[in-house]
């Protein structure tokens, strides 16, 4: 029920109920992305082994098929997390960390969302939204992860010197299959944390982050005006998610370019992809169907809707969940990759190596 893996990751039963994979601690974005992908490979292999054993059982063979989905929501309205953890300086007051991250996380979903058929906790409202998990968040800051979920979680269990470091436990993210969505998710958060630690974060704060998170997820046109607090440094009292993300991007570019040693390759890659993605989201979001999960899924769903299939049709719910199937021979995401319709950053060999190499 609890093993460390050859690559330094950990596989265990969380709260005795469901299997969970945690990557090893990583120092570079490429390490993290490859280790994260390795978890999918390991689970797919375990499912295949379990299926073969069940079918070969001498007393009661099982001829069914085991499916594993990397997603955040089931058909009964339950949600489960895909968590990130970052090591940050304890010198920064947590209130300063939280006030910046509330605005950042409420709008980051425009490029990290996995997409979802249905709006509302139970998906009761027909339609499509950007984030699969957004509707399940109820308050800005708190300790819980399964009830009254907060955008900023206060859990603080650093695997390091607790007097010097805080563990930032991030819970509002979607589970992503896209290499690009993951690169943006981990990379932009890292750069924004650099801003916070240096005291350079934009003075831009959403008045109601929870409502803004829901609104942004439901806003496929990315045009919703989100109310800002009165003390925000802005010429207007409202801003779109795109404008807010652009402000963070520009602040990160300025901060990183002032580094006396120059901008390293990892940082440059993140900044370039962040800007390219925001530009495309502003002009033609569907151009990102080969890079972002929510856009790829929306393009598939829209093709059926255009043929007269309503959002209430079970076919679209099935498409939604089968996009997340981690079996490389079945999953819709993997089919898109195989057909050249989804870009990747790593080869299959890279991921196999990451599953074995610490």
């Amino acid at each position: 029920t609890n093993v460390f893996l050859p690559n330094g990751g950990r596989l265990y039963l969380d709260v005795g109920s469901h299997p969970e994979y945690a990557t090893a601690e990583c120092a570079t974005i490429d390490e993290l992305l490859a280790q994260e992908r390795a978890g999918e490979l390991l689970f797919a292999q375990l499912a295949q082994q379990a299926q073969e054993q069940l079918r070969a059982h001498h007393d009661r063979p099982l001829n069914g098929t085991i499916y594993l989905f990397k997603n955040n929501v089931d058909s009964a309205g339950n949600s489960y997390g895909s968590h990130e953890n970052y090591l940050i300086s304890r010198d920064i007051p947590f209130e300063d960390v939280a006030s910046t991250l509330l605005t950042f996380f409420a709008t980051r979903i425009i490029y990290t969302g996995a997409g979802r058929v249905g709006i509302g906790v139970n998906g009761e409202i027909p339609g499509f939204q950007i984030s699969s998990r957004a509707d399940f968040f109820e308050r800005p800051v708190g300790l819980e992860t399964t009830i009254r979920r907060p955008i900023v979680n206060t859990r603080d269990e650093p695997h390091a010197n607790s007097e010097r470091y805080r563990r930032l436990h991030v819970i509002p993210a979607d589970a992503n299959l896209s290499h690009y969505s993951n690169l943006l998710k981990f990379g932009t958060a890292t750069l924004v944390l650099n801003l916070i630690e240096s005291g350079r974060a934009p003075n831009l704060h959403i008045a109601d982050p929870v409502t803004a998170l829901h609104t942004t997820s439901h806003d496929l046109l990315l045009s919703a005006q989100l109310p800002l607090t009165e003390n925000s440094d802005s010429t207007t009292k409202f801003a779109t998610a795109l404008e807010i993300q652009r402000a963070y991007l520009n602040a990160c570019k300025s901060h990183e370019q002032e580094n006396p040693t120059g901008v390293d390759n990892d940082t440059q890659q993140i900044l370039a992809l962040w800007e390219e993605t925001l530009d495309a989201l502003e002009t033609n979001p569907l151009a990102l169907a080969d890079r972002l999960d929510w856009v790829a899924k929306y393009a598939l769903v829209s093709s059926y809707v255009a043929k007269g299939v309503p959002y209430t049709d079970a076919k679209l719910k099935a498409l939604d969940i089968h996009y997340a199937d981690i079996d490389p021979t079945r999953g819709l995401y993997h089919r898109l990759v195989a057909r050249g319709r989804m870009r990747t950053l790593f080869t299959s060999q890279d991921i196999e190596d990451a599953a074995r190499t610490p």
Side-chain angles (χ1 to χ4, degrees):
T1 59
N2 183 12
V3 295
F4 281 92
L5 302 165
N7 69 351
R10 181 176 172 224
L11 182 64
Y12 59 102
L13 288 184
D14 187 48
V15 204
S17 61
H18 63 270
E20 186 165 315
Y21 168 77
T23 71
E25 291 82 354
C26 297
T28 68
I29 191 72
D30 282 349
E31 283 181 5
L32 178 55
L33 290 169
Q35 283 251 329
E36 201 265 351
R37 299 295 296 183
E40 298 170 25
L41 175 63
L42 290 166
F43 269 109
Q45 292 173 342
L46 286 170
Q48 183 63 34
Q49 292 172 21
Q51 185 168 290
E52 292 171 357
Q53 291 173 5
L54 288 169
R55 288 178 175 176
H57 195 280
H58 62 280
D59 290 332
R60 190 178 297 173
L62 178 69
N63 294 319
T65 301
I66 295 175
Y67 291 85
L68 286 181
F69 303 103
K70 186 184 179 186
N71 67 348
N72 290 101
V73 183
D74 67 14
S75 59
N78 299 303
S79 181
Y80 26 90
S82 177
H83 297 171
E84 306 154 66
N85 292 277
Y86 302 91
L87 202 64
I88 63 173
S89 171
R90 194 168 290 281
D91 293 339
I92 312 301
F94 186 70
E95 293 76 13
D96 294 347
V97 176
S99 65
T100 296
L101 291 181
L102 283 171
T103 297
F104 176 65
F105 287 152
T107 54
R108 182 182 68 161
I109 59 173
I110 63 175
Y111 48 79
T112 63
R116 183 186 176 196
V117 174
I119 298 170
V121 169
N122 296 305
E124 62 274 13
I125 302 172
F128 186 91
Q129 61 176 311
I130 292 172
S131 168
S132 65
R133 192 152 157 81
D135 287 341
F136 292 86
F137 284 81
E138 301 178 33
R139 54 181 178 150
V141 181
L143 179 61
E144 293 87 352
T145 59
T146 58
I147 58 171
R148 299 186 64 226
R149 293 178 180 89
I151 295 175
V152 172
N153 188 245
T154 58
R155 181 187 295 181
D156 180 13
E157 302 166 353
H159 302 297
N161 185 333
S162 60
E163 294 182 359
R164 295 180 59 193
Y165 299 107
R166 173 186 296 279
R167 171 190 174 194
L168 182 67
H169 186 229
V170 178
I171 72 170
D174 287 5
N176 292 110
L177 290 166
S178 161
H179 295 193
Y180 285 82
S181 291
N182 274 324
L183 173 58
L184 286 166
K185 177 165 62 181
F186 304 136
T188 60
T190 301
L191 297 186
V192 169
L193 290 174
N194 287 349
L195 278 183
I196 294 171
E197 287 187 329
S198 66
R200 300 281 298 276
N203 183 24
L204 197 63
H205 304 287
I206 292 175
D208 185 345
V210 174
T211 299
L213 178 66
H214 300 165
T215 299
T216 300
S217 184
H218 304 164
D219 176 30
L220 299 181
L221 297 178
L222 304 177
S223 60
Q225 297 290 321
L226 307 175
L228 305 176
T229 59
E230 292 184 0
N231 62 346
S232 294
D233 290 340
S234 176
T235 57
T236 66
K237 295 182 179 179
F238 299 87
T240 66
L242 274 168
E243 290 168 340
I244 290 169
Q245 282 295 313
R246 187 85 65 181
Y248 280 109
L249 166 65
N250 291 337
C252 287
K253 286 172 65 176
S254 297
H255 176 57
E256 298 297 336
Q257 288 166 357
E258 292 175 7
N259 189 330
T261 61
V263 181
D264 61 74
N265 291 335
D266 284 351
T267 300
Q268 188 58 51
Q269 180 188 22
I270 296 163
L271 289 170
L273 179 60
W274 195 357
E275 185 164 25
E276 177 185 325
T277 301
L278 294 181
D279 288 345
L281 286 171
E282 188 170 13
T283 57
N284 180 21
L286 285 175
L288 296 167
D290 60 351
R291 277 157 287 176
L292 300 188
D293 279 322
W294 81 264
V295 185
K297 188 183 291 183
Y298 181 58
L300 291 171
V301 169
S302 296
S303 67
Y304 281 91
V305 173
K307 296 175 184 176
V309 178
Y311 274 108
T312 53
D313 195 299
K315 290 179 183 177
L316 298 189
K317 290 283 188 181
L319 183 154
D320 192 336
I321 193 169
H322 283 291
Y323 181 91
D325 189 340
I326 64 170
D327 187 307
T329 66
R330 285 193 311 250
L332 292 183
Y333 165 79
H334 291 286
R335 290 187 190 181
L336 292 175
V337 171
R339 295 174 183 175
R341 293 173 57 185
M342 201 77 180
R343 299 191 203 179
T344 59
L345 295 167
F346 298 93
T347 66
S348 298
Q349 189 60 53
D350 291 333
I351 297 168
E352 289 178 15
D353 291 343
R356 295 189 301 265
T357 307

